[in-house]
Amino acid sequence: MKLYQTIASSTLATVVAVTFAAQVQAQENVLRWSSQSALANIDPHGTTTALPLSIFSNVYEPLVGLNSDMELVPVLAESWEVVNPTTWRFKLREGVTFHNGNTFNADDVIFSMERVGNRYSFLRDRVSMIEEMVRVDDYTIEFITREPYPILPQMWTSIYMMDKEWAEENDATVPSNSVENIESYAGQHSNGTGPFRITERVPETRTVFEPFADYWDEVEHNLDRVVYIPITQDGTRVAALLSGEIDMMYPVPIQDIERLQSNAGTDVLIQPELRTIMLGMDQNRDVALHTNTGDNPFKDRRVRQAVYQAINIDAIQDRIMNGLSEPAATLISPLLFPPAGEMERHPFDPEASRALLAEAGYPDGFQTALVCPNNRYVNDERTCQAVTSMLARVGIEVELRTMNVTQYWGVVGRPVQDFAMYMMGWTPGGLDSYSVLFNLMGSWDEESGRGRINNGDFANDRIDEIIALVESETDTEIRDALIMEAYQIVHDEVYYLPLHQQTVVWGVRDGIAVTQRADDYFQFRTARFTD
Amino acid sequence: MIRYVSGRLTQSLLVMFIVAAVAFALFGFVGDPIRQMITEDASQAEIDRLREIMGLNDSVPVQFWRYISGAVQGDFGVSYHHKRPVGTLIAERLPATFELAGLSVLLSVVIGIPLGVYTGLHRHGRLARGLMAASLVGVSIPTFLLGILLIYLFSVILGWLPSFGRGETVAVLGGFWTTGFLTTSGLRSLILPSITLALFQTTMVMRLVRAEMLDVMRADYIKFARARGLGTRTVHFRHALKNTLMPVVTVIGLQLGSVIAFAIITESVFQWPGMGRLFLQSIQQVDIPVMSAYLIMIAFFFVVINLITDLAYYSIDPRLRAGALKGNAHA
């Protein structure tokens, strides 16, 4: 009897304690959120992966950033100007301190840029245009580039500033990298200028952020703490939101969107994403691989257009993407290049498609093959299956091959290029058209790397000319017109078959307000508890 | 005895070497690690440079030799993805997996053996038949589905138990080991994953014990024991059960190995921060150093567990002890 009493009373005490603890916690605004992968390493210069870079944006800050409309805004730089085509002068913000109390100034910028440019840094490409850095005074710095580089600020929106003194004291001047067996101090500790600082970290389990009291800017949040919890499995992540164990999470799998919407305590936020999904075709080999025609039908513009017009993009949007995609007419999202929004797709028209095939000499169609990743883009495999059946209707019999993304690159990428048709998605680096033109549309040039992702290997002299012009054109209007011309050529010649932009879907618990961004950057400073 | 153990350990080194070699040969098909490290818009020069400094341009045997010579010195390299030493990564996750696997095996023994004895002794009883039918579900339901069902029922609908993670953990043994057994949330977090992982083992142990019991109960010495007038309890537990345990111990031993090795799915469903998840991630990220180290380690576990199982025979089966004394170790 005594034992039972002891158990009963201690159970009661535990329950009371737990309830009490829960109440104490409820008074604090602790935002718990989740996404797919653990923060393995928190070195801001140690990764190129989107998720960690987006989380770091709460702790570290760039000179120039993007606001929620994807427009350039000053962050640690107050202003910048082009002194001459190869000289950029940045005026730095004064009165900014790092989390350890050190003052931010030009030395930190030079140090950070050098660290990013370190030969083991994966982000090195983003700063390789710098020839020289000149420290004018404590808060002014000039970057001299090798050649005119009009999109320099765009390239730096995820280049975060570190504290020189802190890095030197802790021997963290080289970014974390696996090659040199270097485990940088900065990979496990942080010291940025951002509105939040990392106070606790158990990589696979949680990372805790607390507001930085001396942050230089106004913030709208009312959070006391933010806890990031990685949950890899989609189903588990959805369950955690439904059961109230977390307050916010992304990405939400398409099939669970309705579930979260219909559930009383949760909702979803939906916004178009920046990546464009497209199909490419081999336009180089004389005899296309996996194709039964004995020649390469995709060298004929009429065949390419026939394939284009056989694809019912509205049906894909409707049935495969549950309405959550934005059909695309060209290779860049209108969010990044507004004139792209004015372009129109070649209309879906199987009749015209058959006629074009007949005209090109394939009245009965032909057999070919399509390579797709099956874990890279939203419903990638299903989209390809739909395309396969649509092409069958105009007589093109497609053998579909789907694979894991890590294998996929080995098959589709240079120099293997083992495909007749392939699927690909592209988010331009620096969020600028130049990356699309240079990588996807230029003809392959090994030395400069132009056309590196032009896996179908088409070549158009005018596009190559435009690339050279756009590279150094600093007048925005002329530049936009040139870019538009290139997109128009791709459209007219049907070098690619653009499909759609996916959507970014976030799941949020009622009582939390967050600002969703097209680049999937979750900025804690915009989050509020509303109840 | 010592000669026996050292012989087995030498064998185990060979096994591990072969596992490492086979694993390394397979890595060529997993994909390109460089693709996982860089953005899509990195230049070809950048890719080539990384291939060069990571030694990926060397032939597979050269890479393998480099890896093995490091591994022999206890250096398993640095994870491509985590950018931390592989040894540390695994050591950090070992406690989570061991606690989960250990508890699951314990559950399966504590529940499985009594149920097996019961169903073996009362094989025509209604309850025993019901248990046997239920055990069929246990052996056939996929771990993944079971985990999701439990989460749905106990976390989403009832809200009783956490759906993911390990809860609060406490560092013990000078920070070397983290345990979830000392906190309420840690214990609560253990319930669903350990049941998920244990269900299959439990039903298997139960069916095995039942089959063995049925067998043994027909044996002559049980009849003689009864004839001697021994109590039912003594006959059942002293004579019958003890003699069924040989195969059960073997199976449980091997199961412990596979529970550790294949906790992957359970760990993945419950976001359990263990080695299985580390391995799964490393496959997705083509993190070759982690994959190799994990496979070598699992091979090592199996070898050691087999060894321990064999030693357990010695203590259970007096005939083996007699053999060993005569130096006939491999009998």
Side-chain angles (χ1 to χ4, degrees), chain A residues 414 441-445 450-451 454 457-460 463-464 467:
Chain A
R414 290 181 190 285
M441 288 157 54
S443 62
W444 171 230
D445 175 52
R450 185 188 62 203
N454 176 359
D457 266 330
F458 62 84
N460 182 300
I463 292 181
D464 291 346
I467 290 170

Side-chain angles (χ1 to χ4, degrees), chain B residues 31-216:
Chain B
D32 185 351
I34 302 278
R35 291 288 180 182
Q36 288 297 301
M37 290 184 188
I38 52 167
T39 49
E40 284 161 358
D41 57 346
S43 67
Q44 188 61 43
E46 186 65 18
I47 293 172
D48 293 342
R49 194 179 63 85
L50 283 171
R51 290 197 74 81
E52 188 58 44
I53 51 184
M54 289 176 68
L56 293 172
N57 289 334
D58 300 336
S59 65
V60 173
V62 172
Q63 291 186 46
F64 180 60
W65 174 247
R66 197 163 46 218
Y67 184 80
I68 285 296
S69 42
V72 169
Q73 298 160 38
D75 175 13
F76 289 93
V78 172
S79 153
Y80 295 162
H81 174 70
H82 296 265
K83 302 184 177 70
R84 298 180 61 206
V86 174
T88 318
L89 288 174
I90 289 182
E92 282 170 1
R93 288 158 182 77
L94 205 77
T97 298
F98 271 40
E99 287 192 353
L100 178 61
L103 184 62
S104 300
V105 170
L106 189 71
L107 278 181
S108 63
V109 170
V110 169
I111 300 172
I113 292 182
L115 286 184
V117 171
Y118 180 83
T119 49
L121 294 177
H122 308 270
R123 62 183 173 134
H124 297 300
R126 217 175 267 173
L127 181 60
R129 283 185 187 183
L131 281 171
M132 284 306 289
S135 76
L136 267 183
V137 178
V139 284
S140 47
I141 192 168
T143 315
F144 182 79
L145 183 66
L146 177 68
I148 291 284
L149 286 176
L150 290 177
I151 289 178
Y152 191 71
L153 182 62
F154 290 100
S155 306
V156 176
I157 295 184
L158 298 171
W160 290 351
L161 295 167
S163 60
F164 66 88
R166 231 186 139 193
E168 290 291 320
T169 53
V170 180
V172 291
L173 301 177
F176 168 72
W177 192 273
T178 58
T179 180
F181 282 108
L182 299 177
T183 65
T184 324
S185 78
L187 286 172
R188 274 159 44 94
S189 300
L190 264 167
I191 298 174
L192 294 184
S194 57
I195 290 176
T196 307
L197 194 55
L199 186 72
F200 178 80
Q201 325 294 337
T202 309
T203 48
M204 214 181 57
V205 168
M206 166 183 151
R207 296 178 78 89
L208 189 70
V209 170
R210 173 181 179 270
E212 290 293 323
M213 277 301 271
L214 290 179
D215 221 29
V216 169

Side-chain angles (χ1 to χ4, degrees), chain A residues 468-520:
Chain A
L469 292 171
V470 165
E471 211 158 41
S472 52
E473 180 57 65
T474 42
D475 183 310
T476 319
E477 227 164 274
I478 302 174
R479 192 167 180 272
D480 281 1
L482 284 167
I483 291 170
M484 196 61 192
E485 189 191 337
Y487 286 138
Q488 194 61 47
I489 295 173
V490 169
H491 178 77
D492 293 341
E493 293 294 324
V494 205
Y495 287 135
Y496 280 103
L497 314 171
L499 295 176
H500 52 239
Q501 276 98 33
Q502 311 171 154
T503 41
V504 179
V505 187
W506 292 8
V508 188
R509 179 177 73 78
D510 289 354
I512 307 276
V514 297
T515 307
Q516 194 186 23
R517 292 163 56 107
D519 59 4
D520 247 351

